[in-house]
Amino acid sequence: MTAVRGVSWALWQRHRVVLLIVAGVVGTFSSALATNRIDRIPAPVAGMGLLLLVFAYLALVGVFIQPDADVATGGSSYPVHLFVLPVRTWILALWPMLVGTAAVFLAAESVLLADKSSGTEAVPLWWPALFASALLAGLQAIFWYPLGIPYSKLVLTFLHIGGLAVAAGLAVSYRVGEGLMCAGLLGIIAVSAVIASIGVSRARRGDIRIFELDRRPSGLSLQAPAPIRAYPGSGPAQSWYEWRLHGIILPMMVAALFGLFCIPLTVKDTYTPVTLVAPLGGLYPTIPTYVATYLPLLFVLVPFAAWIVGCGAKRTDVKRGDHTFHLFFATRPSSDRTLAAQKLWCAAKSSAVAWFLVLLGLAAILAGARGGYQSVGQDYVAPYRLPLSTVILPYLDETTVLRSVAILALLILWTWRNYAVGFWTELSGSLWLRYGYPIGGLLVASGVFTLLYWTARPGESWLSFSLLAGAFWVCVLAKGVGLLALLRYQRGTGVLTPRIVARALASYAAVSGAIILVLFALTGIVRSDFMSIGGSPLVIDSLFVGAVLFWVPLVRLLAAPVMLHHNRHRS
């Protein structure tokens, strides 16, 4: 009993702030559901709340797996400092699993019970909470078992999440009873507990053999060693190190997402007309319905995956529980600006490679999938099936190609932005700032939306274009104040020289201006429709400009080397 209390105390002492924040998020959302039906809550407020719940769940997963878990290691991610405790191995493994699954189950069940008490009958009561618990238990088994293959944890994570989601979807589609689903999920939890216990035991004994692709042969050799390529400076060397450390994580995640996306394409599908292009000969092209429905979602998931990676789901030498850097990082012969710039460059390279993989997958779909035609104004679909490339390519005129290229460029920039905007929190060395930054932003946004909804007059719209435009320009003003505060904070350190600030402002203006021009070209129809119903062009134009100026990062990128300097030279 003393050992169990000790392990519990260690978990609580290290993660009490995160656990209290998660409890507050779950309690607030449950209280809102208990007093209002989900369909009566405004969509932006409900969306923010659900996103907060997702982050709360991810925070619990990080707590009960290990916040510093390495997704690329072939060994075990169980905290090695706990191995020296005079505690049996099964307690080290099973007690955190029991506490974690219980915490996730209770959090999910409180939301489900609140939703049920408000009168909603569509959501089941028990198996969704067990699904979340089984997902956590499986991830604990994956990360704690030393399989010995680098990046195997990342691959197994996607297989586990995708397989569990597909199994739950099939069970719901075939109307499997809730009792049987709960029994299956409990079985997954039990199997995961056994695997995790064996993995922790092997890791504690040191019974691990890591398979390395670049392992050099042991023993003497009469051959001269291959010459080692010298880097021209510390910058290229740091770039190589950053890419080797975590640059491949995002492309692997995107490849796994695209693979999961393609699985349903093997099933016979219906076809949907593409009405975004001009018809040829009175016919619209038709593509598989699954592609038409879920391909836009996949495009959104790539920047979201970059956000997750940027918030910590990658290998890094600065995410440490004792708030310090590895000595190798702190003593590298590189300036703070160089180290931060190479991280930004690695994020850009990783984003470009990820979207290159997406384009390769789309080319494969275009070559292998089938399509047809549908008459304009009719439901008739041509009975024959042609290669999708043969069907689509004639409809791609110059305007469509230019718009597609512009949208792709914005998606790549969005991916890089989500990847890089969290670097300043990572380089600060403060875990509370690193994990509280995304959650805090969502809390502020959801709080503002909720306040606007509650203070709106009866019969009036609580959210309008003019209100959104004003909110964006307030955020732009806050960005300017933040820039001045940042420059004042770093005064005397020499990290942000006037030349660096001027170049950053020029790049910010150039990128923002280019995006504004592209948005105006892409949204011409939307702006015309808004003005045709009496809307002011000043409102819609200021909305787009303010949103772009707020969206393009400036202060957070400049804060990265400043935070690094503070953490690198702290006394």
Side-chain angles (χ1 to χ4, degrees):
M1 190 64 183
T2 303
V4 170
R5 282 181 9 213
V7 174
S8 304
W9 180 86
L11 282 171
W12 170 253
Q13 286 297 316
R14 188 178 186 189
H15 307 295
R16 59 185 182 276
V17 175
V18 176
L19 293 175
L20 288 174
I21 293 176
V22 170
V25 170
V26 173
T28 302
F29 194 82
S30 300
S31 301
L33 279 183
T35 55
N36 299 277
R37 290 174 58 95
I38 187 65
D39 53 359
R40 296 177 182 173
I41 300 177
V45 177
M48 288 290 181
L50 291 175
L51 198 56
L52 277 174
L53 285 182
V54 171
F55 271 92
Y57 178 75
L58 293 177
L60 286 179
V61 169
V63 165
F64 292 106
I65 288 179
Q66 163 66 1
D68 295 337
D70 191 347
V71 297
T73 183
S76 174
S77 293
Y78 194 89
V80 294
H81 64 274
L82 296 180
F83 289 157
V84 299
L85 296 178
V87 180
R88 292 184 179 273
T89 301
W90 67 268
I91 294 179
L92 289 179
L94 298 184
W95 184 247
M97 290 193 73
L98 178 61
V99 175
T101 53
V104 169
F105 179 83
L106 291 176
E109 200 59 36
S110 65
V111 175
L112 294 173
L113 287 174
D115 189 39
K116 186 72 68 175
S117 65
S118 65
T120 304
E121 300 293 339
V123 180
L125 186 59
W126 299 107
W127 77 259
L130 283 176
F131 178 87
S133 300
L135 196 60
L136 170 62
L139 291 176
Q140 287 174 315
I142 290 171
F143 277 85
W144 292 354
Y145 191 92
L147 194 60
I149 303 175
Y151 294 102
S152 59
K153 300 186 187 307
L154 185 62
V155 176
L156 291 175
T157 295
F158 277 100
L159 292 177
H160 171 61
I161 296 175
L164 205 58
V166 170
L170 291 175
V172 172
S173 300
Y174 287 100
R175 302 182 183 275
V176 177
E178 187 172 15
L180 187 58
M181 293 181 65
C182 291
L185 293 171
L186 287 174
I188 292 174
I189 295 174
V191 172
S192 300
V194 173
I195 295 175
S197 182
I198 296 174
V200 172
S201 177
R202 288 188 58 192
R204 199 178 194 186
R205 296 196 310 267
D207 185 14
I208 305 174
R209 183 176 181 180
I210 306 298
F211 174 76
E212 297 180 2
L213 295 176
D214 56 353
R215 183 189 297 273
R216 297 189 177 184
S218 59
L220 298 176
S221 175
L222 299 178
Q223 298 179 354
I228 299 176
R229 180 170 62 93
Y231 286 95
S234 61
Q238 181 67 27
S239 177
W240 173 87
Y241 178 73
E242 290 291 339
W243 176 259
R244 185 178 177 85
L245 187 69
H246 56 72
I248 198 65
I249 299 297
L250 179 61
M252 290 186 66
M253 291 180 66
V254 171
L257 284 173
F258 199 91
L260 294 174
F261 166 79
C262 291
I263 290 177
L265 288 178
T266 59
V267 183
K268 186 177 181 181
D269 194 13
T270 58
Y271 291 83
T272 297
V274 181
T275 58
L276 296 177
V277 297
L280 294 179
L283 296 175
Y284 282 117
T286 59
I287 62 176
T289 302
Y290 182 79
V291 175
T293 305
Y294 291 103
L295 189 61
L297 177 61
L298 176 66
F299 287 166
V300 174
L301 285 178
V302 175
F304 184 72
W307 193 18
I308 294 177
V309 173
C311 288
K314 63 179 183 295
R315 302 182 71 186
T316 173
D317 52 2
V318 296
K319 189 179 67 173
R320 294 171 56 88
D322 54 1
H323 298 182
T324 61
F325 290 122
H326 291 296
L327 294 179
F328 176 55
F329 188 95
T331 57
R332 292 173 199 172
S334 300
S335 65
D336 302 316
R337 295 193 298 269
T338 300
L339 290 175
Q342 294 306 325
K343 283 185 172 293
L344 296 176
W345 170 248
C346 180
K349 182 179 177 181
S350 183
S351 302
V353 172
W355 278 102
F356 177 74
L357 294 178
V358 172
L359 293 179
L360 284 181
L362 291 178
I365 291 178
L366 195 64
R370 298 286 173 173
Y373 301 97
Q374 177 172 312
S375 300
V376 177
Q378 299 181 12
D379 294 333
Y380 172 73
V381 178
Y384 47 86
R385 295 290 178 259
L386 300 173
L388 195 56
S389 57
T390 305
V391 174
I392 292 294
L393 291 180
Y395 290 85
L396 299 181
D397 55 10
E398 182 180 354
T399 303
T400 305
V401 172
L402 289 177
R403 288 180 178 177
S404 301
V405 171
I407 293 174
L408 177 63
L410 290 178
L411 288 172
I412 295 175
L413 181 61
W414 187 16
T415 304
W416 175 81
R417 174 198 178 275
N418 288 354
Y419 197 129
V421 291
F423 279 157
W424 70 281
T425 61
E426 177 183 349
L427 296 176
S428 70
S430 299
L431 288 181
W432 68 267
L433 181 61
R434 178 158 179 75
Y435 296 115
Y437 161 66
I439 297 178
L442 290 175
L443 281 175
V444 171
S446 59
V448 170
F449 280 130
T450 304
L451 181 63
L452 291 175
Y453 175 72
W454 282 345
T455 56
R457 296 179 179 178
E460 294 184 359
S461 176
W462 66 277
L463 191 62
S464 61
F465 285 105
S466 58
L467 189 61
L468 280 176
F472 279 126
W473 279 101
V474 168
C475 293
V476 172
L477 179 62
K479 178 182 286 191
V481 174
L483 177 61
L484 294 177
L486 177 65
L487 295 178
R488 182 179 180 183
Y489 171 79
Q490 70 90 44
R491 184 176 53 187
T493 64
V495 177
L496 297 180
T497 62
R499 181 181 179 183
I500 295 295
V501 176
R503 290 174 59 183
L505 289 174
S507 301
Y508 175 76
V511 173
S512 300
I515 295 176
I516 290 171
L517 292 177
V518 170
L519 280 183
F520 277 16
L522 293 176
T523 59
I525 298 177
V526 176
R527 295 166 60 245
S528 298
D529 292 342
F530 176 77
M531 289 182 286
S532 65
I533 60 175
S536 170
L538 179 61
V539 171
I540 192 69
D541 292 347
S542 62
L543 172 62
F544 280 116
V545 174
V548 171
L549 293 178
F550 167 71
W551 182 79
V552 177
L554 174 65
V555 180
R556 286 167 290 185
L557 296 186
L558 290 176
V562 176
M563 292 293 102
L564 176 60
H565 179 84
H566 170 74
N567 199 8
R568 207 178 184 190
H569 304 283
R570 66 172 60 189
S571 57

